[in-house]
């Protein structure tokens, strides 16, 4: 990342999905158990820093609890519904402009936001896997057909994945904050290690 790049809630979302994909067992979501696995340990430090930046109410003793809270959307219930006025406006407009033509009939509360967040997050995770299911570096002719068909589908999905990610970001951080790397390091103790180099050198 360059010095002008701004980190936002989408980076937290992406890093959590990356870490939990690498470490699918929730029992392993702890600094203690990842202490000797540099790539995973640094990723946990990054996630913790981004939690402090974008969901400051998460401050459990165990990061596993915070990760589970993130996936369940319980953090949404601790916020004021008014904090989500931009998101609620988006929800109302999307519903009213849909083919269903439903006008807003009742107020949207935190538990409604949590439900929608969980549904969209699960869908995003599935879409994200499909949209990036083309990481083949070498392939021989007899196997090319399935690769070409799935690649074209994945390519068409990527824009939709980005759009859904932007919506999820509003659930995660309704204030739409952003920080440079320098700000994250200074104010939220973001690790300065080069994760790319760590991944390359890890055996």
């Amino acid at each position: 990342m360059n010095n002008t790049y701004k980190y936002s809630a989408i980076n937290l979302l992406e890093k959590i999905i990356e870490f939990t994909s690498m470490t699918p067992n929730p029992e392993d979501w702890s600094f203690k158990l990842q202490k000797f696995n540099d790539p995973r340990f640094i990723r946990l430090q990054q996630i913790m820093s981004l939690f402090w930046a974008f969901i400051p109410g998460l401050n459990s003793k165990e990061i596993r609890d915070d990760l589970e809270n993130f996936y369940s959307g319980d953090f949404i219930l601790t916020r004021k519904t008014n904090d989500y006025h931009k998101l609620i406006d988006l929800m109302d407009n999307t519903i009213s402009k849909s083919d269903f033509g439903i006008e807003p009939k009742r107020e949207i509360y935190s538990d409604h936001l949590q439900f929608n967040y969980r549904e969209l997050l699960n869908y995003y995770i599935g879409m994200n896997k499909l949209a990036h299911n083309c990481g083949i570096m070498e392939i021989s002719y007899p196997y090319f057909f399935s690769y070409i068909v799935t690649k074209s589908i994945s390519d068409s999905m990527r824009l939709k994945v980005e759009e859904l990610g932007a919506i999820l970001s509003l659930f995660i951080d309704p204030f739409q904050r952003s920080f440079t790397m320098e700000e994250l390091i200074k104010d939220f103790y973001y690790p300065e290690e080069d994760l790319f180099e760590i991944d390359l050198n890890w055996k």
Side-chain angles (χ1 to χ4, degrees), residues 52-102:
W52 289 335
F54 300 112
I55 316 180
L58 288 184
N59 54 4
S60 302
K61 292 182 179 179
E62 299 293 337
I63 193 168
R64 172 184 171 181
D65 295 335
D66 290 339
L67 288 167
E68 290 178 341
N69 186 317
F70 180 86
Y71 275 113
S72 70
D74 285 347
F75 66 91
I76 293 171
L77 302 178
T78 67
R79 293 171 168 171
K80 297 178 181 177
T81 307
N82 189 53
D83 291 342
Y84 284 101
H85 65 91
K86 290 181 181 178
L87 176 60
I88 291 172
D89 287 345
L90 173 64
M91 292 170 67
D92 285 337
N93 289 334
T94 301
I95 294 170
S96 64
K97 292 179 180 178
S98 70
D99 293 337
F100 299 100
I102 302 172

Side-chain angles (χ1 to χ4, degrees), residues 131-145:
H132 297 90
N133 193 28
C134 301
I136 300 175
M137 298 301 293
E138 295 182 11
I139 189 168
S140 59
Y141 181 81
Y143 307 104
F144 240 104
F145 177 71

